Amino acid sequence: MKIRWIPAICALLVLGACNETRFESPPGDEIVACDPAWKGLWVDAAEPRSSDEPDELAFLVDPECRFFMLERPEKDGPPKQIHIPVNYVHDRGKHYVVVADNQLGETVKLNPVHGIEPAPEKSFFIARYQLDHDRLRIWQVDSRRTAHKVIDGVLDGSVDDSHNELHVFISGDRARILDIVRKQKIFEDKPSADVRRSTLSLDEYERQRSARRVGKPS
């Protein structure tokens, strides 16, 4: 399983390739399909990558508030824009991004939820975010910490820790999941993704990126 967003989505969720936590329900009923503050081109806040380093995280939220991951089928080739339906929850001054796993089909091949029979038709990835003007930080769920809460009986759900992979499923309705994100320490201590809003258009960014990757002045 290879996940780069959001939630990596999504690197936005910056979900680990071998660790994942999914939730039976989204947090609460107050879910919106757009956070206007996300509009724009977002790129890795770290220093630009050189030609011998891994590609930077980048995504675009267009004027219609549609979220697109910028994926490159070929290294240094033109980006493929992959639309991922993203939802947002604002609660008591905290902010969360929510992605249904059945909306990630074009991005990653996901197996059914482990340890639940029958497997639910869909479940949800949740991450916490903080947006400060043109800087966006995203915290993914700490799957190991959350797994221990399931094992200790603090949370309802299932844990499958085998074959060097950790799969956690948290059970509960919308009210219960909202209560969990409010009260339980389930998110990682450090941001999983740290991006900045670019002042460039996507075409300008691509031209600048291409020149940098081949070592030419932009």
Side-chain angles (χ1 to χ4, degrees), residues 104-147:
L104 293 173
E106 190 177 350
T107 310
V108 61
K109 174 64 177 177
L110 285 175
N111 294 322
V113 171
H114 290 241
I116 303 294
E117 295 292 342
E121 292 185 4
K122 67 177 177 179
S123 55
F124 300 87
F125 292 107
I126 302 172
R128 184 172 69 85
Y129 72 90
Q130 179 180 325
L131 200 157
D132 183 13
H133 300 292
D134 293 328
R135 193 72 173 264
L136 174 62
R137 295 177 175 88
I138 302 170
W139 287 260
Q140 73 179 55
V141 172
D142 185 322
S143 292
R144 294 215 168 270
R145 180 184 293 162
T146 306

Side-chain angles (χ1 to χ4, degrees), residues 1-196:
M1 178 180 65
K2 180 182 178 182
I3 307 178
R4 294 190 59 185
W5 178 77
I6 199 174
I9 269 89
C10 224
L12 179 54
L13 293 180
V14 190
L15 304 171
C18 298
N19 295 345
E20 62 158 3
T21 299
R22 290 188 242 182
F23 296 81
E24 182 178 7
S25 308
D29 295 313
E30 301 299 322
I31 301 174
V32 295
C34 177
D35 182 342
W38 279 55
K39 291 182 180 181
L41 173 64
W42 296 87
V43 299
D44 202 322
E47 290 297 318
R49 306 303 206 262
S50 62
S51 59
D52 58 348
E53 292 180 298
D55 199 17
E56 62 266 35
L57 168 66
F59 61 87
L60 174 70
V61 180
D62 73 6
E64 285 71 46
C65 222
R66 295 174 298 180
F67 179 95
F68 294 91
M69 282 299 297
L70 301 181
E71 181 65 85
R72 298 181 192 278
E74 298 181 9
K75 182 180 179 180
D76 292 332
K80 178 182 179 182
Q81 297 185 31
I82 302 176
H83 177 229
I84 300 175
V86 175
N87 292 286
Y88 307 86
V89 173
H90 308 289
D91 176 72
R92 298 181 177 180
K94 299 290 180 66
H95 309 281
Y96 307 93
V97 58
V98 182
V99 178
D101 60 3
N102 64 348
Q103 299 290 342
L104 293 173
E106 190 177 350
T107 310
V108 61
K109 174 64 177 177
L110 285 175
N111 294 322
V113 171
H114 290 241
I116 303 294
E117 295 292 342
E121 292 185 4
K122 67 177 177 179
S123 55
F124 300 87
F125 292 107
I126 302 172
R128 184 172 69 85
Y129 72 90
Q130 179 180 325
L131 200 157
D132 183 13
H133 300 292
D134 293 328
R135 193 72 173 264
L136 174 62
R137 295 177 175 88
I138 302 170
W139 287 260
Q140 73 179 55
V141 172
D142 185 322
S143 292
R144 294 215 168 270
R145 180 184 293 162
T146 306
H148 283 296
K149 290 181 180 293
V150 175
I151 294 169
D152 293 341
V154 177
L155 302 178
D156 295 327
S158 67
V159 175
D160 184 343
D161 188 3
S162 59
H163 307 295
N164 295 318
E165 295 186 4
L166 175 62
H167 303 275
V168 184
F169 181 73
I170 302 300
S171 303
D173 60 15
R174 290 172 178 245
R176 173 56 178 155
I177 300 304
L178 180 60
D179 188 63
I180 289 171
V181 300
R182 283 174 174 174
K183 299 178 180 178
Q184 296 294 331
K185 188 176 175 62
I186 62 171
F187 297 103
E188 292 194 341
D189 297 326
K190 296 181 179 181
S192 312
D194 186 353
V195 294
R196 60 178 175 82

